[in-house]
Amino acid sequence: MDQHSERAQDPLVEETEQERARSAAARLFDIRRVIGGLFVVYGVLVGLVGLFDGQSEIAKAQGLRINLWAGLAMLLFGLFMLAWQWLRPVEPPTAEEAREV
Amino acid sequence: MDGGGLRLSMNGLDYGILTLYFVTVLGVGFAARRAIRTSVDFFLSGRSLPAWVTGLAFVSANLGALEIIGMAANGAQYGMMTLHYYWIGAVPAMVFLGIVMMPFYYGSRVRSVPEYLRLRFNRPTHLLNAISFAVAQVLIAGVNLYALALIMQALLGWPLWVAIAVGAVIVLAYITVGGLSGAIYNEVLQFFVIIAGLVPITVIGLVKVGGVGGLMDAVRESRLGEAGLHAWQGTGSTENPLGAHWFGIVFGLGFVLSFGYWTTNFAEVQRALSAQNMSAARRTPIIAAYPKLLIPAVTIIPGLIAMVTVQGLGASEGDLVYNNAIPLLMRDLLPNGVLGIAVTGLVASFMAGMAANVSGFNTVFTYDIWQAYVRRDGSDEYYVRVGRLATVGGVLVGIGTAFIAAGFSNIMNYIQALFSLFNAPLFATFIIGMFWKRMSPLAGFWSLLSGTLAALATYLLYKGGVLHFNSDLEESFWGAGIAFATVAVVAAIVTPLTHPKPDDELQGLVYGMGAVDLKGDVLAGDRVWWRSPVLLGAIALVLAVVLYIPVF
């Protein structure tokens, strides 16, 4: 099915659409790696500090070892993002083919 | 708790966390640069992003710190009625955008929301909308920036100009270099950092007040009383904390204001236009609806916790204004470490909000103003350069206009006022134009113009003391409603008197004119039933109703 017959034509829109053949968007990196990396670092940093928190820190946080727990949670989340990226890499190349069908 | 001084005791670790965040967002911007060759790469991420990325960016673009701080402030001031901003004032409109409107936006291949008006109506309608949008975005970016500077000054002791420069330069850098991909990727990152910052505040706060039960008891004994725990009770009159009737909530906030904002605001819709196919574009606002359902847990609840634990909160000026609810809790409850995360989350939310405005602005300026009306024969690369310069210009103007925000007591009301002026008449014009193919181009122009003027007149008459409303909020409900009605009446009068647009120019733009292809570009993985936009949207709506039950 030719999708061009399905919509009104506009010269400006069509020009830009044609340029898309040169698109470099496929070279975009996977953001999950960055999110995962940052949260692993945050998790380790804050979690380690949490291990050594003194009475005043714990008292301020109403008796919770908040740094330890927050650090652990962020570490796990970061690892989840990294694992997700490894187990399910981005779909593309086939996506380009699918779009042409 | 003396309430004196908001200064946080940040140590090296906290500053390290903040610095690492700055380095990361800049890195994301520079790393995105290699994926930019064409103007669509720069302005719309090459229409290549998966739905979960565009969906989280969609919610993050709205999760500016004005939103977070403002909603916590509203939570402290009005109690559970603030939930209306999320559950009736956002989710239905987001689902509607995904299911009903996105096929026209994405299917017609328009590059912006104003461009839809150019194709559906005519150039005057388009220009009117493009200019008003561009101006509004720069103003709102300025508001964000000013708010960022104020909070950095209060929390960290940075001089105003330092905070403005740091915030503006970083956003400027990653958008100029990385384009929309830089903005969107950072928005996704920012979303998680914001949540990581807000959750510890909520958890410690709840422990302090004795859990949810303790919080409810404390609210009952507070200034708000039992009414602070209910969203709908007492809305048969305006005798409730928000001063709003259920009719105003449902039609003013839930329909006109919210649909106006979510469905026509290009700073939001742009995220969906950058999705990789029709299915992903339609799912973008619907995926965003799910976090939106839950965000009140980390904004309104801290607001209520601040209200019951910080004595004297609600002063008309000074450190104890409602807008400081979250900063005060950060100061009182967070030890170093999570404190750094929370400050980073707050800074991240300012940047997310401002980046959405700036990236919306540069696209509209380039495609809708420069290419359409100033120089239309430039090469594709030329428009990428214009976009980069527009980014610089927009940020500079934003810095200049930052101080307009200073005169208003509650930042949210100011934003609401802007929305009711631009968005409500725009939404009315869109929705009538999308479903009534006879509506003529001239009717489009006169409807939009008169609707905007009606909203403006209502606002000015209220500010001038001629018209009376219970609150700024009620004015924005009514202003939006009046604007909507004006658009409908003018469209009905002008259309029969003027020529319609030929049918072949309306293909794919108007309901019933050429079937919009919803499945043609679908990916193999999108065929699974749980990626159906209609199903996901329906579940979000059901959740919005169910969540209201415990706080009816």
Side-chain angles (χ1 to χ4, degrees), chain B residues 129-147:
Chain B
N129 177 232
I131 290 177
S132 64
F133 176 81
V135 171
Q137 292 311 295
V138 173
L139 282 178
I140 298 173
V143 173
N144 252 307
L145 199 53
Y146 180 70

Side-chain angles (χ1 to χ4, degrees), chain B residues 70-80 82 224 228 299-301 303-304 307:
Chain B
M71 283 303 163
N74 285 343
Q77 197 171 354
Y78 308 121
M80 288 299 178
T82 312
L224 279 174
T299 55
I300 298 177
I301 291 181
L304 284 173
M307 198 257 299

Side-chain angles (χ1 to χ4, degrees), chain B residues 479-534:
Chain B
I482 290 168
F484 192 95
T486 308
V487 169
V489 169
V490 172
I493 294 173
V494 177
T495 294
L497 304 174
T498 48
H499 292 291
K501 214 169 162 82
D503 282 1
D504 62 321
E505 289 180 23
L506 294 177
Q507 296 290 325
L509 295 170
V510 180
Y511 183 74
M513 296 300 296
V516 177
D517 189 2
L518 297 178
K519 297 273 163 69
D521 59 353
V522 80
L523 297 175
D526 290 341
R527 292 209 178 86
V528 290
W529 61 271
W530 48 271
R531 287 194 188 174
S532 152
V534 175

